[in-house]
Amino acid sequence: FLRMRWLARAGPRNHTFKPRSLRSVRAMSALRGCTVLHLDNHVLAIAKPAGMPSCPDDTRDPDALTCCKDFLKERFDKPGRVFLGLVHRLDRPASGVMVFARTSKAASRLSESVRERNTKKVYAALVRGCLSEGGNLEDYIRKEQNRVYVTSTRSQGTKLAQLDYKPMFYCERNQLTLLQVHLHTGRKHQIRAQLAQFGHPIVGDTKYGGRHNLWAGASPDDRGIVSQIALHAHRLEIPHPIRDKDPLDLHSEVPRSWHALFPYPEALASINGTKA
């Protein structure tokens, strides 16, 4: 299933792009389920679907970086290789906003913004259990192979991990809480590991204690890729690499599959910043 639309500018106001040529159709097909949120001469931003790697890995499955290169090659009829810089990563089973750099200069400046934490990253998450009040989590994370471990004390090999969380709605039927998470440090699997350590693992995240059978109630069309977890990068604010006074404020709506688990459209709409 391909969403044939191009959101030509950042922000909640979406502008539908209708392909007018065979080349445009091929370009949109190359995205393999990604949705373009912003495109200019320096930056490409997309909404990555759950289950897709951010960049090539050992599985050789379609990845966001390669798909976006193929999109640009078809869209602008570029000969040879297309340059596209990977600025940051998003966990494979998660979905949401990703930013790529179209020039080496943009790659350097965007990477510096990420490294210096000159960004605003907001995630939506469905977690197990009831959370009635917001707060912050400050822990230390140690990476071992393909997972991380959380500790409250600093030691050799650990890195500081900080986030704020805000409960948006509680579903008593499923005993799930919809959270808005502001990420202050960008450690691998940080949100997943910290929320699990806190006693509220993310739905579907079996690596960190989340139950995996909650997606069973969704129809095949809604469920999408089986490996998804209920973690979505729904907003990213980052300085534009060239136009300093024109920051990028990128938004992506939560996946449709969440509605099967959390049947409160007004709550999900509050995350998306739109009316139910």
Side-chain angles (χ1 to χ4, degrees), residues 188-258:
K188 180 177 180 178
H189 296 183
Q190 177 185 335
I191 298 176
R192 301 164 62 184
Q194 281 192 282
L195 290 176
Q197 180 73 13
F198 187 46
H200 298 277
I202 294 172
V203 171
D205 194 1
T206 55
K207 182 185 287 286
Y208 294 101
R211 296 189 307 192
H212 65 281
N213 60 349
L214 292 177
W215 297 107
S219 68
D221 288 339
D222 284 339
R223 189 163 56 246
I225 301 173
V226 176
S227 62
Q228 69 178 295
I229 62 176
L231 179 64
H232 180 75
H234 85 89
R235 183 182 178 190
L236 173 62
E237 186 175 331
I238 188 169
H240 193 281
I242 305 301
R243 301 190 297 267
D244 294 336
K245 296 182 180 180
D246 186 19
L248 294 167
D249 192 0
L250 305 158
H251 298 251
S252 171
E253 295 186 359
V254 298
R256 286 192 311 144
S257 56
W258 287 33

Side-chain angles (χ1 to χ4, degrees), residues 171-190:
C171 177
E172 188 173 359
R173 187 185 75 180
N174 288 339
Q175 296 184 338
L176 302 177
T177 300
L178 174 65
L179 288 184
Q180 188 175 72
V181 179
H182 291 253
L183 191 61
H184 298 300
T185 54
R187 311 304 183 194
K188 180 177 180 178
H189 296 183
Q190 177 185 335

Side-chain angles (χ1 to χ4, degrees), residues 17-37:
F17 169 69
K18 297 181 179 179
R20 296 181 179 178
S21 66
L22 180 60
R23 190 174 73 202
S24 296
V25 171
R26 289 200 302 262
M28 299 308 294
S29 298
L31 287 171
R32 293 177 178 263
C34 297
T35 302
V36 176
L37 303 175

Side-chain angles (χ1 to χ4, degrees), residues 93-222:
S95 56
V97 179
M98 285 194 70
V99 172
F100 299 93
R102 295 191 60 194
T103 65
S104 58
K105 183 176 183 179
S108 176
R109 292 185 177 182
L110 288 170
S111 296
E112 182 181 6
S113 293
V114 172
R115 185 170 56 253
E116 298 296 326
R117 303 178 190 173
N118 189 20
T119 63
K120 184 176 182 179
K121 301 177 182 178
V122 185
Y123 289 73
L126 285 176
V127 301
R128 194 170 66 194
C130 177
L131 278 167
S132 57
E133 296 182 355
N136 63 348
L137 298 178
E138 183 173 311
D139 300 292
Y140 291 91
I141 283 182
R142 182 180 75 256
K143 178 182 175 183
E144 291 186 10
Q145 296 183 342
N146 196 36
R147 68 169 296 155
V148 301
Y149 296 87
V150 177
T151 177
S152 59
T153 57
R154 183 177 183 178
S155 60
Q156 185 175 3
T158 63
K159 293 183 177 180
L160 180 66
Q162 297 173 312
L163 62 81
D164 297 331
Y165 62 90
K166 178 183 177 182
M168 303 297 291
F169 203 87
Y170 174 62
C171 177
E172 188 173 359
R173 187 185 75 180
N174 288 339
Q175 296 184 338
L176 302 177
T177 300
L178 174 65
L179 288 184
Q180 188 175 72
V181 179
H182 291 253
L183 191 61
H184 298 300
T185 54
R187 311 304 183 194
K188 180 177 180 178
H189 296 183
Q190 177 185 335
I191 298 176
R192 301 164 62 184
Q194 281 192 282
L195 290 176
Q197 180 73 13
F198 187 46
H200 298 277
I202 294 172
V203 171
D205 194 1
T206 55
K207 182 185 287 286
Y208 294 101
R211 296 189 307 192
H212 65 281
N213 60 349
L214 292 177
W215 297 107
S219 68
D221 288 339
D222 284 339

Side-chain angles (χ1 to χ4, degrees), residues 31-45:
L31 287 171
R32 293 177 178 263
C34 297
T35 302
V36 176
L37 303 175
H38 179 90
L39 176 61
D40 62 32
N41 291 334
H42 313 282
V43 177
L44 169 63

